């Protein structure tokens, strides 16, 4: 880019999975666009994940329709490096117009004319439309209950890399969704004493009757659910592809050596207290797990599928002592806890997008990614259009819908411009005809012609 203002029809901000998907669909529809990425393509997969992370879905599922993963089994779980390389290769495949190392500072709507002006680290851009494709993992959340204790190392899960990163001693992992449970398991296997704070969660089977849970949610129509069920807004999902993929079983983790506790309530003078909801949270996870097994069994019977029965999948381990006699509080020093991992999620950050597209809480107002602010779009957010929106393939389908909307809007402007041009041509033609007729009238009338030539008549007029 140069110092002068760059003009583009559609600007896409972010070159992760959402930005790459948007570029593909916009290109297919002939929409001129530019994708800006402040770091590298798929940077979050590279530097905001722990070293051993793998995708939570198998390679046949967690991909775009147009390309499979290279050098990996379709049923394997891609490493974070393989995922980042996949998106880089995909961007090359579709010849995506991506500029890396360019940060967007501010987007403002133009006054008195269409479009937006975008201030970037490399100059100004004017665009008719802006797509926010920065995803949901923008600002790590560490809750305000976190202790103000310099003697304890505290990391958000996005900053955790490996067990060697932490000091000697025990670890408290707060949050038992996919990230928290995988990190807790890795830390315990490395020899550390681990306490895992477990809140409300769903825990689908990794696989059942020779089919991955991703397949089951697909054939059962669960990926297409348009909205969360009431009361599930704060429920995380515990699933993992680590070590080839295994069903998350919190009781098994307890027998493995992890101490389970309820939701973390507060820290006070070196002591942490926990909600007494551990058994309830485990029971809820069990119900979710068993309901999916029931639905799968019904589907198999209804469709006459020849899939092996798996009665052992319904076996439940007895409650360990940490569940039957849950800890109410824990002295951090006595327990030897020297580190806390906050696996407590993320918040979005759209401070750069200074348009009227957000509610009072800063959440985007949109319908399937089409913002209430005309010309602004969002893609890559969980539940953007369906439950599957947070998966790679779901982002691809959401991006297609948004690209179609953009193409339709462009056609309205094409019609407007052509109508304006036709109107101008008609007006010019009418003006020319009127002048020609006036000239003809003067020439055809002897009286008017003589009057036009008489200086006294002209003066009187």
């Amino acid at each position: 880019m140069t110092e002068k203002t760059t003009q583009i029809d559609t600007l896409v901000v972010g070159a992760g999975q959402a930005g790459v998907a948007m570029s593909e669909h916009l290109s297919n529809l002939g929409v001129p666009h530019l994708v800006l990425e402040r770091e590298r393509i798929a940077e979050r997969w590279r530097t905001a994940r722990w070293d051993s992370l793998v995708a939570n879905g198998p390679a046949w599922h967690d991909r775009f329709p147009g390309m499979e993963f290279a050098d990996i089994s379709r049923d394997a779980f891609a490493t974070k490096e393989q995922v980042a390389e996949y998106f880089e290769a995909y961007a090359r495949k579709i010849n995506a117009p991506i500029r890396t190392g360019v940060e967007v500072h501010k987007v403002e709507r133009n006054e008195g004319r269409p479009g937006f002006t975008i201030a970037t680290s490399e100059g100004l851009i004017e665009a008719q439309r802006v797509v926010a494709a920065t995803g949901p993992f923008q600002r790590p959340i560490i809750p305000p209950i976190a202790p103000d204790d310099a003697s304890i190392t505290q990391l958000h899960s996005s900053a955790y890399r490996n067990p060697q990163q932490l000091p000697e001693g025990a670890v408290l992992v707060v949050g038992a969704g996919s990230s928290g449970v995988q990190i807790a398991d890795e830390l315990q296997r490395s020899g550390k004493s681990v306490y895992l704070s477990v809140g409300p969660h769903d825990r689908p089977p990794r696989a059942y009757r020779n089919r991955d849970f991703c397949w089951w949610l697909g054939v059962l129509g669960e990926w297409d659910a348009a909205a969360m069920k009431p009361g599930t807004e704060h429920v995380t999902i515990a699933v993992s592809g680590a070590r080839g993929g295994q069903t998350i079983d919190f009781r098994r983790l307890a027998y493995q050596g992890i101490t389970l506790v309820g939701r973390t309530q507060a820290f006070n003078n070196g002591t942490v207290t926990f909600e007494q909801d551990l058994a309830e949270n485990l029971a809820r996870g069990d119900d979710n797990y068993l309901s999916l097994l029931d639905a799968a069994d019904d589907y198999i019977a209804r469709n006459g599928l020849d899939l092996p029965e798996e009665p052992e999948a319904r076996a439940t381990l007895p409650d360990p002592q940490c569940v039957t006699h849950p800890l109410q509080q824990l002295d951090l020093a006595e327990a030897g806890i020297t580190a806390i991992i906050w696996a407590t999620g993320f918040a979005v950050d759209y401070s750069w997008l200074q348009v009227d597209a957000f509610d009072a809480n800063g959440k985007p107002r949109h319908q399937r990614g089409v913002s209430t602010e005309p010309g602004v779009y969002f893609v890559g957010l969980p539940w953007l259009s369906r439950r599957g929106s947070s998966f790679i393939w779901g982002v691809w389908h959401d991006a297609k819908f948004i690209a179609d909307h953009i193409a339709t809007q462009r056609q309205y402007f094409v019609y407007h411009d052509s109508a304006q041009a036709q109107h101008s041509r008609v007006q010019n033609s009418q003006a020319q005809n009127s002048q020609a007729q006036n000239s003809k009238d003067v020439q055809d009338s002897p009286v008017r012609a003589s009057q036009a030539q008489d200086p006294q008549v002209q003066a009187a007029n």
Side-chain angles (χ1 to χ4, degrees), residues 115-296:
F116 304 86
T117 295
I118 301 96
T120 81
S121 58
E122 294 193 4
L124 294 179
I125 295 176
E126 287 194 346
Q128 296 301 305
R129 280 156 284 275
V130 175
V131 181
T134 49
F137 306 122
Q138 297 168 29
R139 182 168 56 84
I141 295 176
I142 295 180
I145 64 170
D148 184 13
D149 189 340
S151 67
I152 297 178
T153 298
Q154 299 187 60
L155 297 174
H156 188 268
S157 58
S158 61
Y160 169 78
R161 295 295 173 265
N162 52 61
Q164 293 71 38
Q165 181 185 17
L166 303 183
E168 293 292 328
V171 184
L172 170 64
V173 178
V174 182
S178 293
S179 296
V181 73
Q182 291 180 58
I183 291 172
D185 181 42
E186 176 175 89
L187 290 171
Q188 193 278 329
R189 289 175 182 274
S190 75
K192 286 186 173 294
S193 176
V194 177
Y195 296 83
L196 177 60
S197 179
V198 181
H201 61 272
D202 287 346
R203 60 174 195 95
R206 174 70 270 174
Y208 180 60
R209 298 186 69 170
N210 204 32
R211 293 291 183 271
D212 189 85
F213 97 95
C214 291
W215 189 87
W216 282 119
L217 291 190
V219 299
L220 295 173
E222 291 293 328
W223 288 130
D224 292 323
M228 297 180 187
K229 296 176 182 178
T232 65
E233 293 81 5
H234 302 290
V235 174
T236 61
I237 183 171
V239 65
S240 172
R243 299 186 311 282
Q246 296 178 344
T247 298
I248 298 300
D249 185 333
F250 287 98
R251 294 177 182 83
R252 182 177 292 111
L253 290 175
Y255 284 111
Q256 177 181 311
I258 294 176
T259 301
L260 306 178
V261 295
R263 280 182 295 182
T264 301
Q265 186 178 57
F267 292 84
N268 187 29
N269 295 326
T271 297
V272 56
T273 56
F274 305 105
E275 301 277 1
Q276 295 303 287
D277 58 358
L278 177 59
E280 176 186 345
N281 294 335
L282 296 184
R284 179 193 179 117
D286 294 342
D287 289 343
N288 171 259
Y289 171 83
L290 293 171
S291 67
L292 185 54
L293 301 192
D294 291 342

Side-chain angles (χ1 to χ4, degrees), residues 53-73:
L53 176 74
V54 299
N56 282 333
W60 66 262
H61 182 266
D62 281 13
R63 65 179 180 87
F64 289 165
M67 190 174 82
E68 295 194 359
F69 278 87
D71 303 323
I72 182 176
S73 165

Side-chain angles (χ1 to χ4, degrees), residues 6-21:
T6 299
Q7 305 282 341
I8 193 67
D9 182 275
T10 299
L11 179 69
V12 181
V13 182
Q17 58 203 43
V20 173

Side-chain angles (χ1 to χ4, degrees), residues 94-116:
I94 64 174
N95 196 27
I98 298 174
R99 292 181 182 173
T100 58
V102 182
E103 184 171 4
V104 172
H105 296 310
K106 182 168 60 175
V107 175
E108 292 182 308
R109 175 172 285 285
N110 296 329
E111 294 186 8
R113 57 192 177 94
F116 304 86

Side-chain angles (χ1 to χ4, degrees), residues 43-84:
E43 183 68 21
R44 295 289 182 180
W45 281 96
R46 303 175 192 276
T47 57
R49 307 286 192 273
W50 61 95
D51 294 345
S52 64
L53 176 74
V54 299
N56 282 333
W60 66 262
H61 182 266
D62 281 13
R63 65 179 180 87
F64 289 165
M67 190 174 82
E68 295 194 359
F69 278 87
D71 303 323
I72 182 176
S73 165
R74 298 182 78 244
D75 292 316
F77 301 91
T79 66
K80 68 186 184 74
E81 291 81 10
Q82 289 172 322
V83 174

Side-chain angles (χ1 to χ4, degrees), residues 236-430:
T236 61
I237 183 171
V239 65
S240 172
R243 299 186 311 282
Q246 296 178 344
T247 298
I248 298 300
D249 185 333
F250 287 98
R251 294 177 182 83
R252 182 177 292 111
L253 290 175
Y255 284 111
Q256 177 181 311
I258 294 176
T259 301
L260 306 178
V261 295
R263 280 182 295 182
T264 301
Q265 186 178 57
F267 292 84
N268 187 29
N269 295 326
T271 297
V272 56
T273 56
F274 305 105
E275 301 277 1
Q276 295 303 287
D277 58 358
L278 177 59
E280 176 186 345
N281 294 335
L282 296 184
R284 179 193 179 117
D286 294 342
D287 289 343
N288 171 259
Y289 171 83
L290 293 171
S291 67
L292 185 54
L293 301 192
D294 291 342
D297 287 342
D298 290 343
Y299 181 88
I300 290 171
R302 188 167 61 253
N303 290 279
L305 300 184
D306 184 17
L307 293 176
E309 294 189 4
E310 195 177 339
E312 63 274 16
R314 295 179 180 273
T316 302
L317 293 171
D319 284 341
Q321 184 176 6
C322 62
V323 176
T324 58
H325 298 82
L327 289 173
Q328 296 186 20
Q329 62 181 29
L330 187 66
D331 186 292
L332 298 176
E334 288 183 5
I337 292 176
T338 59
I340 300 174
I341 304 295
W342 295 97
T344 42
F346 297 80
V348 295
D349 182 4
Y350 291 115
S351 57
W352 53 273
L353 191 52
Q354 298 179 13
V355 296
D356 186 20
F358 306 96
D359 63 17
N361 297 317
K363 292 184 178 181
R365 297 196 307 262
H366 69 89
Q367 179 66 30
R368 294 190 64 178
V370 180
S371 171
T372 55
E373 173 79 5
V376 174
Y377 300 86
F378 298 94
V379 65
L381 297 178
W383 291 95
L384 191 82
S385 68
R386 68 189 87 184
R387 180 178 181 176
S389 289
S390 58
F391 278 71
I392 292 171
W393 64 269
V395 168
W396 189 90
H397 287 286
D398 285 344
K400 184 178 187 304
F401 175 85
I402 293 168
D404 288 341
H405 189 278
I406 289 173
T408 299
Q409 291 301 308
R410 292 186 77 233
Q411 289 302 311
Y412 284 122
F413 276 94
V414 168
Y415 171 80
H416 172 76
D417 292 342
S418 63
Q420 286 290 94
Q422 177 65 20
H423 180 67
S424 297
R425 287 194 295 270
V426 170
Q427 285 186 321
N428 290 337
S429 177
Q430 289 175 343

